[in-house]
Amino acid sequence: MKRKPLKIGDLTAKFPLIQGGMGVGISLSRLAGAVAAEGGVGIISTAQIGFREPGFDENPIETNLAAIGKEIRKAREIAPKGIIGCNIMVATRRYEDYVRAAAKAGADLIISGAGLPAKLPELVRGFGTRIAPVVSSLKSVSVILKLWDRHYQTVPDLVVVEGPEAGGHLGFSEETLETLTPAAYDEEIRKISARVKEYGDRYGRKIPVIVAGGVYSRQDVAHCMDELGADGVQAATRFVTTEECDAPESYKQAYIDAKKEDIVIIKSPVGMPGRAIRNRFLEEAKAGRKPPVKCHQCLEKCSPKEIPYCITDALVNAAKGKIEDALLFCGSNAYRAERIETVHEVVEDLMTV
């Protein structure tokens, strides 16, 4: 028996499964299209999405904006009837332009975290794009629900709750990551769901709550949906080691080779904790500053003169397969990868009850 469909406004996904956005260059059209074709929600990360395009070094933002439409179109070719969305970080420089570019290109859904997407409803006005904030606490979801209700008389089309086991940048302090127990966070998820339902009831709408962070197996899905009452899950790390993932083979192999002790919490150049695979790059970065050669205009609050290394360069190296000179973001369960699977196999496994 398979999981029931996920309704996002007037859209319906065959399965309550969202593939998490992974930048730079890890979840682009190939992966997102494959997931959407299987009945999940495919998500393209817009983080430095145009890094392979001509002109990126000279005009990174304009190149990225053009690449958003290109990747959405390519994903649509793979999944003409599927749901294709974008993950756009609030911390992105010229965030508003990225959102408008995605909406104009026909993104079905925009998922937005790494900050509170306070103006997101205004930015997609006039388009049919559904919107979803990424939150990590009752406090953050309460703030965004109150803001959208007060200023735009609306609520999210869905809410993604990203927990402490997620990959990449994390919405928790290092101290919280060390002390927060799974049971305590389960209770936080229940509180978030209750608050979301409260606002949904006001508007006469069902707002799906999607749990993310550490979702790797069928058992994880059962915990989120059957025990915590979530309407669906978001998984990212599990999709990295698929044939269709946009990452290079050496990146996928790094997941397969990783042991549990290789997965560590780091401090990102942007001041947030993150989770990544230990490698030579991280050891060198710990030993001394690696000054950026050029600013790629990726994040709004970044000072090239102060950061320990350029996160764009580190993530682009990962996407190009330069594994020992790269930042290899991953979720807490990356070490569980044993082989390369297909997207079909992953979806079948996760969505079977």
Side-chain angles (χ1 to χ4, degrees), residues 192-255:
I192 291 170
S193 296
R195 183 59 50 83
V196 171
K197 183 178 185 303
E198 175 189 325
Y199 274 80
D201 288 347
R202 287 190 200 177
Y203 282 79
R205 292 169 57 182
K206 166 67 177 175
I207 306 172
V209 172
I210 308 299
V211 172
V215 177
Y216 196 86
S217 68
R218 189 182 308 175
Q219 291 71 30
D220 298 328
V221 175
H223 176 68
C224 295
M225 297 190 67
D226 302 333
E227 296 177 32
L228 299 180
D231 299 291
V233 295
Q234 177 177 286
T237 292
R238 180 71 187 272
F239 284 107
V240 169
T241 49
T242 60
E243 291 178 7
E244 297 92 340
C245 180
D246 297 274
E249 295 307 309
S250 55
Y251 189 105
K252 300 174 187 182
Q253 192 62 43
Y255 275 46

Side-chain angles (χ1 to χ4, degrees), residues 110-157:
I110 289 175
I111 296 176
S112 200
L116 287 177
K119 297 181 180 179
L120 189 53
E122 176 186 333
L123 299 175
V124 300
R125 188 175 291 153
F127 297 99
T129 306
R130 288 79 183 168
I131 51 177
V134 180
V135 301
S136 57
S137 66
L138 177 61
K139 180 180 179 181
S140 58
V141 78
S142 298
V143 169
I144 202 68
L145 287 169
K146 188 175 182 179
L147 275 172
W148 287 13
D149 177 42
R150 178 182 296 173
H151 295 291
Y152 304 108
Q153 295 76 55
T154 193
V155 286
D157 293 293

Side-chain angles (χ1 to χ4, degrees), residues 180-194:
L180 187 62
T181 66
Y185 198 68
D186 283 354
E187 187 57 33
E188 190 78 359
I189 291 172
R190 292 187 180 97
K191 291 177 181 177
I192 291 170
S193 296

Side-chain angles (χ1 to χ4, degrees), residues 155-175:
V155 286
D157 293 293
L158 64 82
V159 171
V160 176
V161 183
E162 190 168 272
E165 301 301 316
H169 289 120
L170 304 169
F172 302 86
S173 66
E174 290 184 57
E175 181 182 358

Side-chain angles (χ1 to χ4, degrees), residues 13 31 35 42 64 75 79 89-90 94 106-107 153 173 175 178 207 249 252 259 295 298 303 320 326 339:
L31 177 58
V35 173
N64 286 336
M89 298 186 297
V90 179
R94 284 176 56 185
Q153 295 76 55
S173 66
E175 181 182 358
E178 292 173 359
I207 306 172
E249 295 307 309
K252 300 174 187 182
K259 298 178 175 61
C295 177
C298 57
S303 174
K320 290 182 175 179
R339 65 183 179 89

Side-chain angles (χ1 to χ4, degrees), residues 10-48:
D10 58 353
L11 294 176
T12 301
K14 182 180 178 181
F15 296 119
L17 173 64
I18 297 176
Q19 159 255 310
M22 296 173 282
V24 169
I26 307 304
S27 65
L28 297 174
S29 54
R30 188 162 181 249
L31 177 58
V35 173
E38 289 292 335
V41 178
I43 300 295
I44 294 166
S45 168
T46 66
Q48 301 297 53

